Amino acid sequence: MALKPMPMIPEIHPCPGGPQGLFLPGDAVERLEALLPEYEGRIKLVYMDPPFMTGERFYMRVRVGAEEWRRGRGSLALETFRDLKDRGEYLDLMRRTLLLCRRLLSDAGMIFVHVDYRANAHVRLLMDEIFGEENLLNEIIWVYQSGGRSLRHFSRKHDTLLFYRKTDQYDFNIDAVKAPRAKPRTSHMRRHVDPDGRVYRSIRTNGRIYTYYDDDPIAPSDVWQDLNHLQQKDPERTGYDAQKPLALLDRIVKCASRPGDWVLDPFAGSATALEAAKRNGRNFIGIDSCPLTLNIARRRLEGADWRILPGEAPRGDAPRCEAEVRAGVGFYHVLLQRYDAQIPGLPENAAPLDAVDNWSVGYLRDGGYEVMAAFARGKRRPDLETELAVPAYSGQLAMCVGDVTGASWLYALDK
Ligand SMILES: C[S@@+](CC[C@H](N)C(=O)[O-])C[C@H]1O[C@@H](n2cnc3c(N)ncnc32)[C@H](O)[C@@H]1O
């Protein structure tokens, strides 16, 4: 049967006991303003990896259909975002975003802004002005080895994280990120083994003996060389161009927030910071203007108690969608049969349901669409599951299709 499209409403992914979360598709400044009434002074950590003022266009190669998921390469190149080139416009976006983030942070809160050599100096001065020079905690240098080597100048192999507190009551937890030394300290030190077999080194300075165990965890410095960038074939890769490694965000989340705190990323991209927050039991809020990020978030944020607020409606009419509902014992079985999206650039041999990236079935409740069963294609599940079962409750049954362009469409289902 052909389904009736509905306007998008909040998409609720219930997971009682899981970390809570919000994803807001749209413009960072607009969405941050809308968060103020409920979240002002409540956010513990802001991480942002904004555009770098490169003037470049960024694309994602989106995987269409099971075969492309199996091969791990997408054929449909879609623009994710256009970075700003004009310095005035860039600084205006950053100023407005940073001012709002400062209001959203609690007095114990901290902010990390991820920049490269192009934006570093400008953003640093802006942050000094907005947060106060005295609140700069670190300029962290994240060093990586990936990418090619330049012969025209030294290869650019680091990003900078500008780390500020909101006030001197900030709640920084270095113990949470201590790790054993990669290499033991050996120079000028004597090696010993204690009765338990642990290796330690000692040195005498000014009449005092200092000892260091090789396996003692140490606090990281402000130069991070131990966290690799994602490799081409990295299993963590989502296909999103600017994706950062989870290990980087894990360190940031652990040292600057505690379980149950709220973590905010206003330029969330592939939801790396949100996933790190979820894994560490923190609540999260993500914003991004690129619709493709929604499909990635649906994959990465499974296991959280989170919701997606409706963004701007996709352009054009909802694609014709057909599904059948069969009543079983205590369950409804929903069979997805057809989704006719007109997507320019789709491979000619694409099968009718190849344009479906993910879909879900649920009920309309309290002004939202509550997801009860969902499927998203992935590396381990490339074939579209076309049947989903949901418990038979009273109420309006509905389904949502997230297609390969990042558009999401909600349809009412007749039982
Ligand atoms: C460098 S990427 C973030 C990557 C992310 N850290 C990750 O690990 O995937 C910057 C993101 O900012 C988003 N963006 C750019 N301008 C924006 C705006 N005005 N409002 C919201 N998001 C924006 C882009 O769509 C892009 O996803």
Side-chain angles (χ1 to χ4, degrees), residues 148-166:
R149 296 270 152 178
S150 170
L151 299 178
R152 294 173 61 81
H153 49 73
F154 295 113
S155 301
R156 297 176 179 130
K157 296 293 173 194
H158 79 274
D159 288 355
T160 302
L161 290 147
L162 301 170
F163 174 31
Y164 284 69
R165 62 186 185 190
K166 180 169 175 182

Side-chain angles (χ1 to χ4, degrees), residues 149-358:
R149 296 270 152 178
S150 170
L151 299 178
R152 294 173 61 81
H153 49 73
F154 295 113
S155 301
R156 297 176 179 130
K157 296 293 173 194
H158 79 274
D159 288 355
T160 302
L161 290 147
L162 301 170
F163 174 31
Y164 284 69
R165 62 186 185 190
K166 180 169 175 182
T167 73
D168 60 5
Q169 293 159 47
Y170 71 112
D171 175 27
F172 181 60
N173 183 7
I174 192 78
D175 287 334
V177 292
K178 284 184 175 167
R181 259 174 232 286
K183 279 194 209 145
R185 294 162 62 136
T186 50
S187 50
H188 317 300
M189 291 195 189
R190 285 187 59 195
R191 184 178 182 276
H192 313 263
V193 181
D194 79 4
D196 296 327
R198 288 176 68 203
V199 176
Y200 68 98
R201 321 265 163 175
S202 69
I203 189 165
R204 181 186 287 273
T205 309
N206 296 333
R208 280 190 63 186
I209 295 178
Y210 294 86
T211 56
Y212 304 94
Y213 274 89
D214 279 5
D215 58 0
D216 262 349
I218 56 156
S221 74
D222 59 359
V223 180
W224 295 359
Q225 302 190 66
D226 53 336
L227 305 172
N228 289 332
H229 215 321
L230 298 174
Q231 304 298 323
Q232 278 305 322
K233 298 267 176 210
D234 206 300
E236 209 177 300
R237 267 200 188 273
T238 59
Y240 202 72
D241 222 3
Q243 182 182 350
K244 300 297 178 296
L246 203 47
L248 178 76
L249 272 301
D250 193 64
R251 178 171 293 171
I252 292 171
V253 164
K254 281 184 172 146
C255 71
S257 67
R258 299 192 186 254
D261 283 341
W262 283 91
V263 173
L264 165 68
D265 183 347
F267 299 98
S270 64
T272 314
L274 315 186
E275 185 181 351
K278 179 198 80 172
R279 284 174 177 244
N280 286 294
R282 276 60 162 174
N283 301 320
F284 56 84
I285 301 177
I287 302 171
D288 203 284
S289 54
C290 168
L292 289 165
T293 58
L294 263 187
N295 289 345
I296 304 171
R298 287 194 185 103
R299 277 189 257 289
R300 295 188 88 175
L301 302 178
E302 237 176 67
D305 190 23
W306 68 296
R307 58 179 62 205
I308 301 171
L309 297 193
E312 219 175 86
R315 280 202 211 117
D317 293 333
R320 180 186 169 88
C321 184
E322 291 182 11
E324 196 183 312
V325 183
R326 291 189 193 145
V329 184
F331 280 89
Y332 290 115
H333 296 264
V334 180
L335 283 79
L336 176 60
Q337 294 163 326
R338 202 167 152 176
Y339 180 75
D340 287 347
Q342 301 302 315
I343 299 173
L346 215 58
E348 273 173 17
N349 57 353
L353 287 176
D354 278 358
V356 178
D357 179 89
N358 58 79

Side-chain angles (χ1 to χ4, degrees), residues 44-230:
K44 183 66 161 292
L45 162 65
V46 174
Y47 165 80
M48 67 167 90
D49 174 18
F52 284 179
M53 206 168 57
T54 59
E56 287 169 25
R57 290 174 174 206
F58 289 85
Y59 292 88
M60 176 170 176
R61 294 194 79 84
V62 176
R63 294 164 194 166
V64 180
E67 207 35 52
E68 293 191 3
W69 273 102
R70 257 190 280 279
R71 274 191 286 125
R73 257 188 70 77
S75 61
L76 185 64
L78 296 179
E79 187 173 302
T80 52
F81 70 104
R82 262 174 229 207
D83 199 350
L84 298 169
K85 186 71 190 154
D86 180 82
R87 187 179 301 163
E89 265 183 70
Y90 179 78
L91 289 179
D92 184 55
L93 169 69
M94 290 307 294
R95 176 187 298 279
R96 284 160 18 120
T97 306
L98 289 167
L99 281 167
L100 288 162
C101 287
R102 190 176 180 283
R103 286 180 66 184
L104 288 161
L105 279 171
S106 69
D107 285 350
M110 285 148 277
I111 178 166
F112 289 76
V113 179
H114 195 140
V115 286
D116 76 355
Y117 69 98
R118 284 164 284 215
N120 182 356
H122 308 290
V123 176
R124 166 84 185 266
L125 289 176
L126 201 54
M127 292 189 76
D128 277 353
E129 179 193 319
I130 292 170
F131 286 87
E133 275 176 64
E134 67 287 5
N135 289 318
L136 170 73
L137 292 170
N138 288 115
E139 188 186 48
I140 297 164
I141 306 298
W142 172 42
V143 182
Y144 42 80
Q145 298 301 332
S146 56
R149 296 270 152 178
S150 170
L151 299 178
R152 294 173 61 81
H153 49 73
F154 295 113
S155 301
R156 297 176 179 130
K157 296 293 173 194
H158 79 274
D159 288 355
T160 302
L161 290 147
L162 301 170
F163 174 31
Y164 284 69
R165 62 186 185 190
K166 180 169 175 182
T167 73
D168 60 5
Q169 293 159 47
Y170 71 112
D171 175 27
F172 181 60
N173 183 7
I174 192 78
D175 287 334
V177 292
K178 284 184 175 167
R181 259 174 232 286
K183 279 194 209 145
R185 294 162 62 136
T186 50
S187 50
H188 317 300
M189 291 195 189
R190 285 187 59 195
R191 184 178 182 276
H192 313 263
V193 181
D194 79 4
D196 296 327
R198 288 176 68 203
V199 176
Y200 68 98
R201 321 265 163 175
S202 69
I203 189 165
R204 181 186 287 273
T205 309
N206 296 333
R208 280 190 63 186
I209 295 178
Y210 294 86
T211 56
Y212 304 94
Y213 274 89
D214 279 5
D215 58 0
D216 262 349
I218 56 156
S221 74
D222 59 359
V223 180
W224 295 359
Q225 302 190 66
D226 53 336
L227 305 172
N228 289 332
H229 215 321
L230 298 174

Side-chain angles (χ1 to χ4, degrees), residues 356-369:
V356 178
D357 179 89
N358 58 79
W359 71 294
S360 61
V361 180
Y363 286 90
L364 300 187
R365 292 226 176 103
D366 304 329
Y369 159 63

